[in-house]
Amino acid sequence: MNIQTVPTDALAPPPLRQLSDTGLTPVMMRDILLKTVFRQNIEKSSDIAQAIALPVPLTQTLIDALRDMGLMQATGTLHATSGSELGFQLTDRGKARALDALGQSEYYGPMPVPLAAYREQVKRQSIRDKKLTRAMLERAMGDLILPHGLLDQLGPAVGSGRSVLMYGPPGNGKSSIAEGIRKAMGDNIYIPHALAYAGQVITMFDPIVHTPVNQADEHAENSPLRKNAARHDTRYLLCTRPTVMTGGELTLSMLDLNYNAVSRTYQASLQLKSTGGVFIVDDLGRQEEPPQALINRWIVPMENAYDIVALQSGEKFEVPFDTLVVFSTNFHPNEIFDQAALRRIFFKVKIDGPTQEQFLKIFALVAKKKGIPLDQASLVHLLKTKYPTIEHTYANYHPVFLCDQIKAICDFEGIPYQMRPEFIDRAWENLFVKDEKIVH
C-alpha cells in the first residue's frame, strides 16, 4: 500500500465516545467482530480493535458483551509483549455464530460507517469548497508547456468543482492536463473503510484509488498503553483526494454497485470511490457505450450532487456525488453529444496543438531529457521538409515519438545518441502510416 506523509489538514469526522455513536446495530457490530476474529485468528483486544477500526475501550465493551453471551472467552494467558493484556478467543458457540454470519455475508474487518453519517462527512470536505488558485494550478502543471490562455479557461472550471469537457486533436496533452488537475487538488480528506445501508455493507476504501496519509499518532490510537479517545472516527482513513482515471474500458456497469454473489458483499462504484476527488474519463468516444449514454448516466449526479444506486433486492437509494468530472475526447463535442447533454457539462475547454514556437520548446526539452544533442540542420530539415507534408500540424506527442525513434536508431547503429537529417527521415516514416491499398 502506497502511504504518503503529508500534513493533516482535513476536517475530521467526530471521534467515537460510545458504541451508539457508530450508528450501527449491536447485532451487526457483534457479527463483524466474530467474523473478523474467526477469519484473522487474532486474540489481543488491541489487535481486534485495529482490525475492526474501533478504539480499544469500545472494542473491549463489545468483547465483554460477547463473553456475557457465551460467544467469546478469555484464554487465561497474558501476552508478554502487551503488558497485562489478556487474550480472547471464540467459544464453540461463537464459532458457530461466526460461520452463520459468514454465510449471510463474507464481509469482515473495519466497522462500516452508516450512509447518513458519511453524507455529513462529505459536506465537511466537499470538493466544491476547495479553493483552487492560479498559483496552485501553475505549480501542478509546471512541467507542461500549455497553450496561451488555457489556464484562464481551465482555472475557473476546476475551481468550481463542476464538470469539465476537454476536447481537441489527439496527442496534445489532454491526459497530462487532467493529471495536473488531480495534482493541483493536493489536500486530504477522510475515506471510510466501508459504508452501511439497510443492513448491507459496501466496501469503500480501494488502495488503487485511495492513498492513505501517514499520521504520526494513528498507530498509537489502538495501543493498549494509550486508551484515551481517538482524535477522529477511526473507521475512516485520512487520504489524499482520490482520483479515478478510466479510458476505453469504461462501461455503464462500473458506475453501479458491484455485487459479488459468492461472498454476498458489495463494492462501491467507481464514482462513489471518487467522492471528494476527481473522476477522469479519458478518450471519451472510445468506449463500447455511446458517449451520449455515458453522459445521460451522469446527468442526475452532476445536476443534483447525488447518485442513485441499487441493491440486489432492487431497492434504490441515494449516495453522495461530490466529484469533479473531467471528460477528455478527441472528437468535436457536437459529433458525440446532443445540445441537452452539452448544456449539462458546465465548462468546455478546447486543447489545441502547439504553435511552431511551442513545438520547438517541447522538442528541446524532450531531447535534453533523453540525452540527444540538438542539431540545427536536423531541426530545419524537420520543419522545412516534413511538416509541410501535413500542413504544419504540430502535436505535443511528436517530440517524444521522434526522439525515441532516434534513440532506437542510434542503439541499433551502435553510435552515441545524435540527431541527423537522415535519422529524422527514418523516424518520420514510423510517425505516420502511408495511405495505400494492400493487395491480398
Side-chain angles (χ1 to χ4, degrees):
M1 184 185 298
N2 182 23
I3 299 181
Q4 294 187 359
T5 304
V6 294
T8 301
D9 57 0
L11 186 58
L16 302 174
R17 305 299 185 193
Q18 50 193 7
L19 285 176
S20 59
D21 292 342
T22 64
L24 305 174
T25 65
V27 172
M28 175 177 273
M29 288 189 285
R30 292 169 190 164
D31 281 354
I32 289 177
L33 190 151
L34 289 172
K35 289 189 288 184
T36 303
V37 171
F38 183 82
R39 283 293 190 218
Q40 297 191 2
N41 193 29
I42 47 181
E43 295 185 355
K44 295 190 294 182
S45 57
S46 58
D47 290 340
I48 297 171
Q50 187 172 14
I52 64 174
L54 289 184
V56 170
L58 302 191
T59 302
Q60 190 61 56
T61 300
L62 271 178
I63 291 173
D64 291 342
L66 290 166
R67 291 178 69 187
D68 291 342
M69 297 170 66
L71 301 176
M72 290 191 77
Q73 62 186 7
T75 60
T77 58
L78 297 177
H79 290 270
T81 59
S82 58
S84 59
E85 190 177 1
L86 276 173
F88 299 94
Q89 62 185 17
L90 303 184
T91 63
D92 289 341
R93 285 180 56 198
K95 292 176 183 177
R97 174 60 193 166
L99 286 169
D100 182 59
L102 286 166
Q104 299 174 44
S105 169
E106 276 282 344
Y107 180 82
Y108 63 91
M111 292 290 175
V113 174
L115 181 58
Y118 178 55
R119 288 194 187 104
E120 294 303 311
Q121 181 59 29
V122 170
K123 291 177 184 177
R124 294 187 190 98
Q125 57 194 24
S126 174
I127 195 168
R128 297 194 179 191
D129 295 334
K130 171 72 177 174
K131 303 304 179 186
L132 194 66
T133 65
R134 179 183 292 273
M136 294 165 65
L137 204 53
E138 286 177 343
R139 280 197 302 271
M141 300 189 184
D143 57 340
L144 301 178
I145 296 176
L146 302 175
H148 178 72
L150 177 62
L151 290 186
D152 295 340
Q153 293 179 281
L154 199 60
V158 177
S160 72
R162 307 288 289 272
S163 54
V164 181
L165 171 64
M166 296 190 298
Y167 67 98
N172 285 312
K174 291 186 293 296
S175 300
S176 298
I177 291 170
E179 177 65 15
I181 291 172
R182 182 204 66 78
K183 288 167 58 179
M185 294 301 170
D187 61 341
N188 314 315
I189 61 173
Y190 283 88
I191 305 294
H193 286 279
L195 299 174
Y197 176 79
Q200 302 295 322
V201 177
I202 303 166
T203 57
M204 181 76 169
F205 176 78
D206 182 342
I208 297 176
V209 174
H210 303 116
T211 302
V213 170
N214 186 21
Q215 293 173 274
D217 61 346
E218 190 171 48
H219 303 292
E221 284 173 351
N222 283 332
S223 168
L225 301 177
R226 180 183 174 182
K227 295 190 178 183
N228 57 313
R231 295 181 183 178
H232 65 86
D233 187 339
T234 48
R235 295 175 295 173
Y236 291 82
L237 283 171
L238 185 64
C239 300
T240 56
R241 285 194 183 268
T243 298
V244 171
M245 178 175 279
T246 63
E249 77 281 3
L250 178 65
T251 62
L252 286 172
S253 62
M254 294 179 183
L255 306 179
D256 296 324
L257 295 182
N258 180 19
Y259 180 72
N260 187 317
V262 176
S263 63
R264 293 165 296 281
T265 58
Y266 289 91
Q267 187 178 73
S269 64
L270 279 180
Q271 58 194 42
L272 184 54
K273 291 178 183 179
S274 71
T275 301
V278 183
F279 194 117
I280 299 171
V281 184
D282 203 12
D283 285 332
L284 186 63
R286 304 295 182 192
Q287 293 78 14
E288 290 185 11
E289 314 282 356
Q292 185 70 47
L294 289 171
I295 289 294
N296 289 344
R297 174 64 179 81
W298 266 298
I299 284 177
V300 169
M302 289 191 301
E303 289 194 341
N304 300 325
Y306 65 80
D307 192 17
I308 299 174
V309 295
L311 298 174
Q312 281 296 107
S313 63
E315 180 182 355
K316 295 183 178 181
F317 60 101
E318 296 177 5
V319 294
F321 186 84
D322 184 69
T323 306
L324 169 64
V325 185
V326 179
F327 302 102
S328 171
T329 182
N330 299 331
F331 295 94
H332 192 282
N334 292 337
E335 296 178 18
I336 54 178
F337 301 128
D338 61 25
Q339 290 304 308
L342 283 176
R343 176 171 53 84
R344 289 174 167 88
I345 299 176
F346 210 63
F347 292 92
K348 297 92 173 171
V349 181
K350 186 179 181 183
I351 310 295
D352 271 322
T355 63
Q356 186 182 91
E357 181 183 359
Q358 291 169 333
F359 170 82
L360 288 173
K361 286 182 180 178
I362 296 170
F363 198 101
L365 288 173
V366 171
K368 181 179 179 181
K369 185 176 181 179
K370 293 184 178 293
I372 304 174
L374 290 177
D375 175 67
Q376 185 175 356
S378 298
L379 290 176
V380 170
H381 178 68
L382 178 64
L383 297 178
K384 297 296 185 182
T385 66
K386 296 303 177 186
Y387 274 100
T389 65
I390 58 169
E391 300 179 346
H392 295 282
T393 303
Y394 302 98
N396 286 337
Y397 78 93
H398 288 175
V400 176
F401 187 95
L402 293 171
C403 287
D404 282 342
Q405 290 282 327
I406 291 171
K407 284 181 64 177
I409 292 169
C410 292
D411 287 338
F412 175 73
E413 301 293 352
I415 60 176
Y417 290 154
Q418 55 193 275
M419 197 176 293
R420 298 180 189 173
E422 60 266 30
F423 291 173
I424 293 288
D425 289 340
R426 290 167 67 177
W428 187 266
E429 288 182 8
N430 288 321
L431 185 57
F432 299 102
V433 176
K434 186 165 61 175
D435 191 11
E436 57 184 340
K437 186 174 182 180
I438 303 296
V439 179
H440 296 279

